[in-house]
Amino acid sequence: MSQDGTPDPYSDPLVFGQRLQILRTRKGMTRDQLGGLLGLTGSWVKGVETGRLKTPKLAVILRIAELLRVRDLADLTGSQSVNIGLFAGPGHPRLAAVKAAVDAFPLGNTPEAPPTAHLRARLERAWSARHSAPNHREVIGALLPELIRDTQLAVRQADRASGRRAAQAALAEVYSLCQFFVAYQPDPALLWRVAERGLIAAQESEDPHAIGVAAWLAAQAHRDSGPAHFDAADVVNLETLAYLEPLLPDASNDVLAIAGALTFEAGYTAARRGETGTAWRYWDEARAMADRLPTEYYHPVTSFSRAVMGAHAVTVAVELHAGGESVRQAAAADALTILSRPRRARHRIEEARGYQLDGQPDVALATLDKAHEAAPETIKYNGYAKRIVLEEAESKSPARRRRASELAVKLGLLAA
């Protein structure tokens, strides 16, 4: 029993239906909402929760875990035989060092901070490394501890208001880089600490681009926390867009791009809600903003560009559970034009989701292989990819089962 008097879903005597009801309620989702997202009904959910209907098959369990953002299937099933982290990847070896740097509060004798221009050059190299390296978490995880410390020192030691604002903008961007590293690892409290510090540093900087980037990441953190947090995602997102809108006629490419990225994020959240018209309207608005950017422009943080709009269209269609539309959009999008390896890998994962929705599991697995080739550390931490692999590992087709099992070994889901 938890401290608030509700049954604990981690207590062994609880059966699947009871665990489902507790976890669904904690996420703020109604039976009708969950049933609709599953393509079923609220009464079906009630039947499972009350024990009138038997425990669903693995494919449905995995989909439920995806929707409820269950970190470990054992939390839902009660069985340790499926003890896998679905939406929280394995803790990266460098996570402890990054966490220690975030948590540190240096107030004693400290070295002189590097100039802000020097920090900016290091940040530029860090972003470049993140986008170009297949093991991008390893690369930025090695850079972050010292970068966090030095940028915090720059803020503390700034002796003029303008210098302090510039240092705060750099610190906000360091926290943005840090959030990419921390996302989908087993420390949600650290993720929120990083996101909130990024927002505060960005506000202190008074830099529109820094504010936009911090809001973009905060909106994602809210949305990824589940349907009960979609409204919070919209508040952060839309208020930041309202702040940026008067600046756009004369904005730099970076400010225009972050506004475009935020516009798409509003559509992404709408798609998660199942609001088809709203989702595509925001996508259209984002595409118009992308068209104002130079052909070769690529936003260093969000990857927003003309090239990425095709990938965004796939994401909208997938979140709306429109399999056929997902496949059509995937055919129109060219992943090779996406310069960032982790963003290209994520696009491949979204394509794979579309192919599976469209009843093409073999193509889905082949597409996940391409995601692994682009950036192994992206797919390793992606719950959607893991769900597809685990589901197809129980396929009735021996060839498909073998291919899924081989991919599961690559992702560390199964022992070699």
Side-chain angles (χ1 to χ4, degrees), residues 298 307 333-340 344 347-348 351 370:
Y298 210 78
D334 183 1
L336 294 178
T337 64
I338 299 177
L339 302 180
S340 168
R344 189 158 70 243
H347 172 54
R348 292 299 192 195
E351 286 185 320
K370 293 179 181 178

Side-chain angles (χ1 to χ4, degrees), residues 234-356:
D234 276 341
V235 168
V236 172
N237 208 333
L238 299 179
E239 286 193 0
T240 307
L241 277 172
Y243 159 75
L244 292 174
E245 187 176 6
L247 309 176
L248 296 184
D250 302 312
S252 67
N253 288 333
D254 284 350
V255 171
L256 179 59
I258 193 59
L262 284 162
T263 301
F264 169 71
E265 288 301 316
Y268 193 163
T269 304
R272 281 278 187 90
R273 284 194 178 99
E275 298 170 351
T276 301
T278 302
W280 285 114
R281 175 173 60 80
Y282 277 122
W283 182 86
D284 282 335
E285 291 178 8
R287 182 182 59 181
M289 298 174 84
D291 288 342
R292 291 173 55 187
L293 295 167
T295 303
E296 302 301 322
Y297 175 86
Y298 210 78
H299 190 260
V301 179
T302 68
S303 296
F304 190 81
S305 59
R306 293 187 184 189
V308 87
M309 290 311 301
H312 283 337
V314 174
T315 296
V316 170
V318 167
E319 292 296 344
L320 291 170
H321 308 292
E325 181 63 21
S326 302
V327 171
R328 285 191 291 275
Q329 294 293 348
D334 183 1
L336 294 178
T337 64
I338 299 177
L339 302 180
S340 168
R341 292 184 72 133
R343 185 62 185 85
R344 189 158 70 243
R346 185 189 157 200
H347 172 54
R348 292 299 192 195
I349 294 167
E350 298 291 271
E351 286 185 320
R353 294 175 66 196
Y355 285 121
Q356 193 188 46

Side-chain angles (χ1 to χ4, degrees), residues 4-183:
D4 63 3
T6 60
D8 189 341
Y10 311 108
S11 174
D12 287 339
L14 291 178
V15 298
F16 177 85
Q18 293 171 306
R19 290 171 180 270
L20 172 60
Q21 182 173 1
I22 293 166
L23 293 168
R24 173 186 59 76
T25 302
R26 287 183 178 178
K27 284 295 182 183
M29 191 181 293
T30 67
R31 285 169 172 163
D32 286 339
Q33 287 172 331
L34 179 58
L37 291 169
L38 290 168
L40 298 165
T41 64
S43 61
W44 179 88
V45 175
K46 181 178 180 180
V48 173
E49 290 181 347
T50 59
R52 180 173 55 83
L53 299 176
K54 64 181 181 180
T55 300
K57 294 181 180 179
L58 178 62
V60 179
I61 292 175
L62 289 170
R63 177 63 177 149
I64 291 171
E66 172 188 326
L67 293 169
L68 297 182
R69 282 291 191 264
V70 174
R71 287 180 52 189
D72 195 306
L73 281 184
D75 298 345
L76 181 59
T77 65
S79 169
Q80 297 303 311
S81 63
V82 287
N83 189 4
I84 55 145
L86 191 65
F87 279 87
H92 194 278
R94 295 193 181 275
L95 179 60
V98 173
K99 176 181 171 64
V102 171
D103 291 345
F105 191 53
L107 291 174
N109 294 326
T110 54
E112 184 177 353
T116 302
H118 176 72
L119 294 170
R120 278 284 169 202
R122 286 165 61 184
L123 263 170
E124 185 177 344
R125 289 195 297 271
W127 284 117
S128 177
R130 180 190 179 268
H131 290 304
S132 61
N135 59 332
H136 51 92
R137 286 181 189 269
E138 173 64 23
V139 171
I140 65 173
L143 297 173
L144 276 169
E146 189 174 350
L147 195 53
I148 292 169
R149 184 201 66 191
D150 287 351
T151 315
Q152 287 175 334
L153 288 176
V155 172
R156 281 188 55 212
Q157 295 177 11
D159 55 3
R160 294 185 179 181
S162 59
R164 186 176 181 83
R165 286 195 298 270
Q168 289 280 22
L171 182 59
E173 194 167 324
V174 170
Y175 282 131
S176 295
L177 183 68
C178 189
Q179 190 169 336
F180 276 99
F181 175 83
V182 173

